[in-house]
Amino acid sequence: MTPVTLAHALPDDPIGWWIYLGTLVLYAAARWFFAWRQARRDGDSHPARTASAEDDPQPAVTGGFRSYRQFFGFVGSAVAVVAVAALTEGRLRVVLLWVVVPLLVTALSYLDFRQARAARAGS
């Protein structure tokens, strides 16, 4: 038997952890921005406070995802990242990942925001 060579452990260097943390911060900042922009469009007197107090009233019903759209968005994003990582190398890989990953994270946060907004409108 051969060992699994594609599996990666958690990063040993601080840069890897900063990348993971940066991805989470980007998701949270994008989600907050979308909520702030919606509150501002709705004429809220304190859009920042409203965006910070946003809560999802709907529990996750399909595994860890609220809808199949979120699930397929997550899977599609993972496939895109794996395809870029597998089909490119060197500087091109780094540049593409630095462009593609933030775009996908922002798109997923917008999808989550829309799902939460639809759940609030339905209740």
Side-chain angles (χ1 to χ4, degrees):
M1 290 195 130
T2 60
V4 178
T5 57
L6 294 178
H8 292 283
L10 292 174
D12 292 333
D13 60 339
I15 292 176
W17 285 106
W18 282 112
I19 291 171
Y20 286 141
L21 181 63
T23 303
L24 293 174
V25 167
L26 175 64
Y27 174 85
R31 178 85 189 261
W32 182 87
F33 172 76
F34 294 135
W36 172 81
R37 189 177 69 175
Q38 184 66 38
R40 190 163 178 199
R41 282 184 183 169
D42 292 343
D44 196 338
S45 61
H46 299 287
R49 190 178 306 155
T50 302
S52 297
E54 182 184 71
D55 194 8
D56 291 345
Q58 179 182 5
V61 291
T62 46
F65 302 97
R66 290 178 193 82
S67 71
Y68 288 108
R69 189 178 300 160
Q70 285 179 318
F71 174 73
F72 288 121
F74 180 79
V75 170
S77 297
V79 168
V81 169
V82 168
V84 166
L87 299 175
T88 59
E89 59 184 42
R91 288 184 180 166
L92 179 62
R93 177 187 291 170
V94 172
V95 169
L96 283 175
L97 287 176
W98 277 98
V99 170
V100 169
V101 170
L103 289 175
L104 292 174
V105 168
T106 304
L108 286 174
S109 70
Y110 182 70
L111 185 62
D112 288 347
F113 164 74
R114 281 188 40 200
Q115 187 73 24
R117 183 177 65 184
R120 278 192 308 276
S123 61

